[in-house]
Amino acid sequence: MLDAARLRKDFPILDRTVHGKPLVYLDSAATSQKPKAVLEALTRYYSESNANIHRGIHALSEEATALYEGARGAVCRFIGAPKPATIIFTRNTTEAVNLVAQAWGRRHVNAGDEILLTEMEHHSNLVPWQMLAQEKKASLKFIPVTPDGRLDLSSLPQLMGPRTRLVSLTLASNVLGTINPVKEVQQAAHAHGIPVFVDGAQGVPHMPVHVMDLNCDFLAFSAHKMLGPTGVGVLYAKEALLEEMDPFLGGGDMIKDVWLDHSTWNDLPWKFEAGTPNIGGVVAFGAAIEYLERIGMEEVRRHEQELTAYALKKLREIDGLSVHGPLDPAARGGVVSFEVKGLHPHDLGQLLDAEGIAIRAGHHCCKPLLRKMGLMATARASFYIYNTAQEVDLLVQAILKAKELFSVVAHR
Ligand code: PLP
């Protein structure tokens, strides 16, 4: 069983204070904190094995290459991919979406074609498709979001047609917390021969995700949201798709041979990894994956679901507070967006910060969704393996204090 109180000891940053109060970090949906095992892997790599990979014939280069490729193997195992060649390292989820929009999309999407997204996508899984659609004179369609924050799949048969080239959707919403029925969408799309891209940025860090089971064609996620360093992302794709795709970026490492007027491409996965990658970051990401594997992703999910259920209950007891998204903890991840009547989310965020509590306030890079909800911003608390019920209590107390302060100000 996951023991958050014990795990917290692995995260040095959780010992610090903010404005004289113990840090309560409730912003893991933006980026997670890093355990010692990850920090040490990064330091060890730079202290003992640092060299450029693949090209070297010296011991350090071979060691660095083995560590880098070892991390690819860990990612492959973690998401149940068929082979390491299907794992491409990028800078983040955003770059993985852009890679597919450019390298796959430019070849397969033409004038009059359609790409089907949802109304709850992060800008990262929207803007790259807008750019592609604009260039190709294609159009975007959207699976609507219901008032309780779920995808309205009743419209799916009308939305998918002979011109639909791709369906791309998030596994879990970074605003509403909703876990989407990706498998159901995948089955409907595949019945029409349409490939499916899954934005796993808020899913892969928080629950078991196996690509063979999900049967998605593409999956993207970011290391920094799952205990790893910033600057590392992953694109998984089915091998046949990667084989027929052109490279995204050109340069060193992605070539087999180069002449002055043309080049040939390297094998997978290196065809998509131009230039020196974030070697140290990837190696440390391998340590993050091993850390999560030791806990077990079922346990991670169970802990977050329990904590979210507790948070939903406690938060909803606060007069004037309403929670966005599904209220059933089984239907959502550990992201809780809420609104407190009479308190602007930014003011609330600042008052909580004064209590040492880090939440996020804003549009969460989902402006179209917030517009649909009639909001400019929400306050968002998000949980991970190191958060505890006591921290939820501190959040609740601090919101009550903020409310009191604002009502005093309002009545002056
Ligand atoms: N998709 C979702 C659902 C997200 O929540 C985020 C980041 O918050 C992203 C994509 C983009 O991730 P990154 O900034 O690491 O590229």
Side-chain angles (χ1 to χ4, degrees):
M1 199 168 128
L2 187 157
D3 180 353
R6 190 178 57 77
L7 287 187
R8 289 176 69 81
K9 297 195 175 72
D10 294 338
F11 291 79
I13 205 168
L14 298 179
D15 282 340
R16 68 162 285 179
T17 55
V18 169
H19 307 307
K21 309 270 170 58
L23 168 66
V24 175
Y25 188 76
L26 302 178
D27 196 18
S28 292
T31 198
S32 70
Q33 296 303 347
K34 325 298 175 198
K36 271 184 267 181
V38 169
L39 305 175
E40 283 164 9
L42 199 59
T43 311
R44 199 178 324 115
Y45 168 75
Y46 282 116
S47 316
E48 296 174 15
S49 309
N50 178 51
N52 212 330
I53 52 170
H54 296 148
R55 296 179 278 272
I57 45 158
H58 57 81
L60 285 191
S61 176
E62 280 174 13
E63 232 171 89
T65 303
L67 288 167
Y68 181 83
E69 294 302 335
R72 194 191 309 277
V75 173
C76 176
R77 182 180 68 228
F78 189 72
I79 59 166
K83 52 161 103 161
T86 59
I87 305 295
I88 315 292
F89 286 120
T90 61
R91 280 189 303 142
N92 45 39
T93 302
T94 305
E95 189 176 274
V97 182
N98 279 275
L99 191 166
V100 176
Q102 295 299 310
W104 182 88
R106 288 176 108 182
R107 177 179 283 215
H108 292 278
V109 176
N110 293 303
D113 286 344
E114 295 164 5
I115 298 164
L116 181 57
L117 308 173
T118 83
E119 286 179 340
M120 64 165 80
E121 296 312 312
H122 188 280
H123 297 164
S124 295
N125 192 30
L126 171 60
V127 180
W129 305 117
Q130 289 175 344
M131 289 161 71
L132 175 70
Q134 217 159 40
E135 181 188 324
K136 293 292 193 159
K137 302 196 171 21
S139 60
L140 304 181
K141 293 206 157 185
F142 299 92
I143 302 173
V145 174
T146 62
D148 72 336
R150 296 173 193 252
L151 290 184
D152 178 3
L153 293 191
S154 65
S155 56
L156 210 51
Q158 290 87 55
L159 287 168
M160 274 190 307
R163 301 308 303 262
T164 314
R165 290 289 163 263
L166 181 78
V167 179
S168 186
L169 78 166
T170 190
L171 181 46
S173 164
N174 63 313
V175 177
L176 303 165
T178 321
I179 297 173
N180 288 324
V182 167
K183 201 159 172 179
E184 211 177 308
V185 175
Q186 169 267 315
Q187 282 163 349
H190 283 181
H192 288 76
I194 305 165
V196 177
F197 186 111
V198 176
D199 172 353
Q202 298 292 346
V204 174
H206 302 286
M207 64 189 88
V209 174
H210 294 111
V211 289
M212 302 296 271
D213 173 45
L214 214 53
N215 196 15
C216 55
D217 299 275
F218 302 99
L219 174 74
F221 51 101
S222 296
H224 71 93
K225 292 187 197 287
M226 48 191 293
L227 312 181
T230 49
V232 178
V234 172
L235 172 69
Y236 155 81
K238 285 186 176 163
E239 192 176 10
L241 291 168
L242 290 173
E243 285 290 3
E244 53 112 50
M245 274 159 64
D246 290 321
F248 172 46
L249 300 171
D253 237 26
M254 51 72 73
I255 47 84
K256 189 152 269 166
D257 210 345
V258 179
W259 290 265
L260 279 179
D261 60 349
H262 75 285
S263 304
T264 53
W265 312 140
N266 203 342
D267 296 330
L268 292 177
W270 308 290
K271 178 170 97 174
F272 293 103
E273 293 181 4
T276 303
N278 184 350
I279 306 165
V282 166
V283 171
F285 181 34
I289 285 183
E290 284 167 12
Y291 187 93
L292 287 170
E293 282 176 333
R294 280 196 293 277
I295 299 170
M297 292 310 290
E298 306 273 358
E299 279 301 299
V300 171
R301 171 70 186 133
R302 197 191 51 73
H303 172 73
E304 285 182 25
Q305 198 174 320
E306 263 176 35
L307 202 56
T308 306
Y310 182 68
L312 289 174
K313 177 174 172 296
K314 287 292 185 183
L315 286 171
R316 293 179 67 218
E317 283 168 9
I318 298 176
D319 194 29
L321 187 149
S322 50
V323 169
H324 304 296
L327 296 174
D328 173 9
R332 59 185 301 151
V335 165
V336 182
S337 274
F338 55 92
E339 203 179 344
V340 183
K341 209 166 160 217
L343 247 174
H344 191 282
H346 285 123
D347 292 330
L348 178 62
Q350 265 178 6
L351 291 168
L352 295 186
D353 180 56
E355 302 295 319
I357 301 175
I359 63 153
R360 186 147 290 242
H363 55 66
H364 316 296
C365 296
C366 282
K367 281 193 145 190
L369 175 65
L370 264 80
R371 212 168 276 132
K372 166 153 182 161
M373 292 160 69
L375 300 169
M376 296 288 285
T378 77
R380 183 187 77 182
S382 54
F383 308 117
Y384 208 13
I385 51 172
Y386 34 70
N387 292 120
T388 63
Q390 288 90 311
E391 289 183 308
V392 172
D393 293 338
L394 289 170
L395 171 69
V396 168
Q397 278 166 28
I399 294 173
L400 291 172
K401 188 170 164 188
K403 271 187 64 175
E404 213 172 279
L405 195 78
F406 256 69
S407 72
V408 172
V409 173
H411 288 106
R412 262 203 194 130

